Amino acid sequence: MRRIRVPLPGMELGHVNSYLVECEDGLALIDVGLATYDGAVGLLRGLRELGARPQDITRVFVTHYHADHITLLSLLSQITEAEYYIGERELSIGSNFDGFLRGLFEEFERHGAPKAFLEEVKKVAPMVRFRKAFEDVWQLPWIPVRDGESLPCGLRAVWTPGHTPGHTVYVRGAAAFTGDHILPKITPNISYWVKIEGYDPLGDYLKSLAKVRGLGAMGYPAHGDPIQDLDKRIDEILEHHRERLAEVAEILTRGPKTAFEVAREVSWDIGQFDSLDVYNKFFAVGETLSHLVHLEFEGVAEGREEGGVVVWRLVEEKLKNYRLT
Ligand SMILES: [Zn+2]
Ligand SMILES: [Zn+2]
C-alpha cells in the first residue's frame, strides 16, 4: 500500500491522502481528492511516481461523501473503468442534493444562526462550490457498502457513523484506513445535519470509536501521517468530547441559549468564535449542536422551540457538574 498526498488548495487541511492498494486483478484507491487543477495533477503525478497508470485503477473505495474525498472522481471516472464503493448511508444524501442543502440551512437558522451569516456560508461551502463535480460523481454506478462486509482487495468494511452518517473505515490485515473518523492531529468535526427523530451524531460517533478500538491495526487517516497507536488516539478524542460536553453543559448554567449563542462561548482550540472565518464558525455551530443534542439524549439538556428558534437549557440544577463517563 502506498500513499499519495493530494493537494487541497484553499483548505486549511492542506492535503488529503489517497491510498493505492494492490488487488488480485488491478489496483484500488481509497479516497481520491478534491476536484481542482492542483488535486488532479497531484493525483495523476502521484500515480505516475508509483508506476501506476489511471487505467490500472479498477476499484475506488470512498470513506465518505465530503468534497475533499470524493469529487476528484468526476475526473478519474473519465479516464478509467472502475467500480465505485461507498457506505450505503452516504447514498441517501446524494440522491436529494437540493433538499439536503435546504434542510441543512433551515436547521441552522432554527438553531439561532443569523440569515446573513448563512448567506456567507453558502458562498464558501464545498457542497455549493463543488456542486457540478458532486452532481457528476453522484451519477456513477455506486456499489453500496454494508457494515462488516468483505470486499474485494482483501478489505473489510466497518461502518463508522458520526463524522457523516455513512462514514466507512476499510480494514485490510493490520491496516485500518480511517478516513476522517480518526485523525492524528485534529479532532474530526462532528456536526449536525438534519432533524431526524433519534439522530444523535455525537452518540453515533462515540460508539463508532469503540468499533475501531482493539483492532491492533496501524491507522492510515485521510489527512496527516499514519497513527501508530489507534487506541491511544481514540482515548484522546474521547477525552476531548468529554471536556467539550462538560463545557457546553457549564455554559448552559449561565442561562438558556440557542446553539449559536452557546457556540460563541465555547473555548475553541483555534481561537475565539468571533475571530474565526465564516466556514470555521459554521463548523463550530454544528459541533456545538451535536454536543447539545447528545446532552439531550443523556437527559442533561433540553431544546425547546420558542418562536421558531430552539432554546437550550439544563434539565436540572443538580446536573451542573455534568461529566460523561
Ligand atoms: Zn470529512
Ligand atoms: Zn476530509
Side-chain angles (χ1 to χ4, degrees), residues 31-93:
D31 287 337
V32 289
L34 187 69
T36 64
Y37 172 80
D38 289 4
V41 172
L43 181 67
L44 296 178
R45 191 176 283 153
L47 286 172
R48 180 189 280 265
E49 282 169 8
L50 297 178
R53 299 172 307 167
Q55 58 266 41
D56 298 334
I57 307 294
T58 51
R59 294 184 184 89
V60 176
F61 300 90
V62 173
T63 57
H64 64 297
Y65 77 86
H66 280 164
D68 49 328
H69 299 251
I70 199 173
T71 53
L72 197 46
L73 270 184
S74 56
L75 171 93
L76 198 65
S77 61
Q78 299 297 319
I79 49 177
T80 183
E81 293 290 328
E83 291 176 349
Y84 307 102
Y85 296 81
I86 192 167
E88 61 179 339
R89 288 280 296 278
E90 300 296 74
L91 291 171
S92 59
I93 297 162

Side-chain angles (χ1 to χ4, degrees), residues 17-241:
N17 296 320
S18 178
Y19 293 100
L20 184 69
V21 174
E22 283 185 28
C23 310
E24 321 75 51
D25 53 353
L27 295 169
L29 285 174
I30 299 175
D31 287 337
V32 289
L34 187 69
T36 64
Y37 172 80
D38 289 4
V41 172
L43 181 67
L44 296 178
R45 191 176 283 153
L47 286 172
R48 180 189 280 265
E49 282 169 8
L50 297 178
R53 299 172 307 167
Q55 58 266 41
D56 298 334
I57 307 294
T58 51
R59 294 184 184 89
V60 176
F61 300 90
V62 173
T63 57
H64 64 297
Y65 77 86
H66 280 164
D68 49 328
H69 299 251
I70 199 173
T71 53
L72 197 46
L73 270 184
S74 56
L75 171 93
L76 198 65
S77 61
Q78 299 297 319
I79 49 177
T80 183
E81 293 290 328
E83 291 176 349
Y84 307 102
Y85 296 81
I86 192 167
E88 61 179 339
R89 288 280 296 278
E90 300 296 74
L91 291 171
S92 59
I93 297 162
S95 60
N96 183 14
F97 202 82
D98 282 330
F100 173 76
L101 276 180
R102 207 179 317 115
L104 172 65
F105 288 114
E106 276 171 13
E107 192 59 12
F108 273 63
E109 204 178 327
R110 223 168 60 84
H111 284 285
K115 262 197 165 67
F117 164 75
L118 291 173
E119 285 307 314
E120 290 304 306
V121 174
K122 278 181 202 169
K123 288 182 197 158
V124 294
M127 284 200 84
V128 178
R129 277 168 59 214
F130 295 92
R131 167 85 189 235
K132 182 70 183 73
F134 265 118
E135 281 175 351
D136 289 347
V137 162
W138 287 126
Q139 300 298 320
L140 296 173
W142 288 99
I143 299 170
V145 171
R146 291 173 189 88
D147 191 25
E149 196 176 342
S150 291
L151 300 163
C153 309
L155 295 174
R156 182 169 59 84
V158 182
W159 178 42
T160 47
H163 178 66
T164 64
H167 191 290
T168 298
V169 167
Y170 298 98
V171 179
R172 189 192 204 222
F177 300 95
T178 59
D180 281 358
H181 181 50
I182 302 170
L183 296 172
K185 290 263 169 2
I186 54 169
T187 48
N189 178 248
I190 308 303
S191 194
Y192 185 83
W193 300 117
V194 276
K195 189 166 169 43
I196 307 171
E197 205 54 49
Y199 180 48
D200 173 17
L202 181 59
D204 288 348
Y205 180 68
L206 298 176
K207 285 186 206 136
S208 295
L209 284 177
K211 284 175 88 173
V212 181
R213 190 190 282 286
L215 285 177
M218 180 83 148
Y220 294 94
H223 310 283
D225 294 327
I227 305 164
Q228 296 273 356
D229 190 339
L230 267 182
D231 290 2
K232 180 165 162 267
R233 186 63 190 132
I234 288 169
D235 285 338
E236 290 166 1
I237 294 172
L238 276 173
E239 183 55 22
H240 163 82
H241 288 295

